[in-house]
Amino acid sequence: TVTRCSPAARSAAACWASDELVPFYEADATEDVLGRLLGALYDTVLGAQPRASRAPAMQAAQQLVRVARLTTAGGVSLSLFGVGGGVSKGVTPATPNGAMLIDGPRVIRDLLDLVRASGAAGVVVHLDNLENLTERAADRATDILRSLRDPVLMLDGLHVILVGTSAAVATATASHAQVRSVFPTTLTVGAMPASDVQDLLAARYHYLAVERHRPIPPVTHAAVAALYPLFRGDLRSLLAALDDGARLLVGVTRHGASIGLDELRPALRQRYDATLRARLDPRRHAQLEAWARSGAARQQTQQSL
């Protein structure tokens, strides 16, 4: 995680923020990201100060946000455990309005003036999903960030958090000195405690339950507790494993019962083995299988494997 929010603003908790994120897509141009950033800023201000919708700055922003959102059409699919879903984006025949590049920075500056006039230190905007991009698209995202640096990202009161895997964030911030100066602070988020993982899943189960008075978790508490250490704190991989197992086993286990580790383990083993066979040649697969049977407890490097 990389952030530009000032220490004073963070300690005072004086920034406005929302749970909205600004994603990057493969075919993005600068005006696309600028339009989403403006939209996130507009929504945050509207959520914090609903009456501000009548202000001239909000009226001007509304016009550009409408243009940005009506020129794209997207779709979202969700999974049981929060992973495995997808985000798609298609562009309609209408092209993004060129006014976005000309008027967008000015409108953002006027919104930030409105925020500070309301007594807040600024607005936190959340940029995410860099790790989902191809290498070429990640380089493109870096170029977009560089082009937005002076007109937008350096504006007083705009605090930007850039989130992704360590490699994705390093790619986005290390390629250009101009981008590094925007994101000077890097924070590596530690692994979530196992108890918090269980609470996270419980909240999601409750949200998705068909019968709220009789919630049945798809996977048992004990199975989650046994799987999580195997992934060494990698929450995304744990959720993917649970999602894979649930897709295979929900509806074919005992009626009304959650999936246990004894049922989950062979299903996942079969799935992962098929994946490895598809990715590795037979000799490499045999080597990996032999190592797993004889020396799985030993620490290995990528080179030794």
Side-chain angles (χ1 to χ4, degrees):
T1 304
V2 178
T3 177
R4 192 186 146 249
C5 196
S6 66
R10 288 200 303 272
S11 62
C15 291
W16 291 349
S18 70
D19 60 357
E20 184 174 355
L21 63 88
V22 177
F24 292 89
Y25 297 109
E26 296 282 339
D28 271 343
T30 300
E31 56 265 32
D32 298 318
V33 178
L34 178 58
R36 282 184 226 115
L37 195 152
L38 173 59
L41 180 61
Y42 175 86
D43 290 344
T44 303
V45 175
L46 190 62
Q49 292 283 355
R51 293 183 179 179
S53 61
R54 301 175 182 176
M58 289 291 283
Q59 293 290 324
Q62 187 182 81
Q63 299 300 319
L64 287 181
V65 170
R66 181 182 292 113
V67 170
R69 291 177 175 172
L70 291 182
T71 53
T72 60
V76 178
S77 62
L78 297 177
S79 69
L80 189 64
F81 293 92
V83 298
V87 179
S88 62
K89 170 179 176 283
V91 180
T92 66
T95 57
N97 194 332
M100 183 63 69
L101 291 175
I102 300 173
D103 296 332
R106 175 185 57 79
V107 171
I108 290 176
R109 184 177 64 251
D110 292 343
L111 286 179
L112 294 173
D113 290 341
L114 174 64
V115 170
R116 290 195 299 275
S118 300
V123 174
V124 178
V125 176
H126 177 185
L127 309 182
D128 207 336
N129 87 318
L130 287 171
E131 67 273 14
N132 294 334
L133 300 178
T134 63
E135 184 175 349
R136 179 179 298 180
D139 291 340
R140 176 62 179 155
T142 303
D143 292 338
I144 291 174
L145 289 174
R146 181 181 61 176
S147 66
L148 291 177
R149 176 190 183 272
D150 291 338
V152 176
L153 298 181
M154 297 301 293
L155 290 176
D156 188 24
L158 181 64
H159 308 293
V160 182
I161 299 177
L162 182 65
V163 179
T165 60
S166 298
V169 168
T171 298
T173 58
S175 300
H176 303 298
Q178 299 94 327
V179 178
R180 286 198 302 273
S181 65
V182 177
F183 303 102
T185 306
T186 302
L187 171 67
T188 301
V189 181
M192 182 179 287
S195 58
D196 288 351
V197 174
Q198 299 285 6
D199 292 342
L200 177 72
L201 291 173
R204 188 160 183 83
Y205 297 157
H206 177 75
Y207 175 75
L208 295 174
V210 176
E211 298 178 344
R212 294 297 177 88
H213 65 284
R214 196 172 64 94
I216 301 175
V219 178
T220 64
H221 188 286
V224 175
L227 280 178
Y228 189 50
L230 298 180
F231 294 99
R232 300 174 183 258
D234 185 348
L235 179 62
R236 178 170 297 184
S237 294
L238 169 71
L239 297 179
L242 296 176
D243 205 57
D244 289 341
R247 289 174 184 274
L248 292 170
L249 297 173
V250 162
V252 297
T253 56
R254 298 186 304 277
H255 177 68
S258 302
I259 301 170
L261 184 63
D262 291 340
E263 297 166 310
L264 201 59
R265 184 188 289 113
L268 292 177
R269 182 184 294 121
Q270 182 179 5
R271 186 179 186 90
Y272 293 156
D273 185 63
T275 301
L276 286 175
R277 289 183 184 276
R279 294 181 178 180
L280 303 176
D281 61 73
R283 177 174 169 272
R284 291 292 186 188
H285 182 271
Q287 288 177 338
L288 189 61
E289 192 175 42
W291 164 75
R293 290 178 176 176
S294 62
R298 294 199 308 269
Q299 289 192 354
Q300 302 277 358
T301 65
Q302 185 173 0
Q303 183 177 2
S304 65
L305 285 175

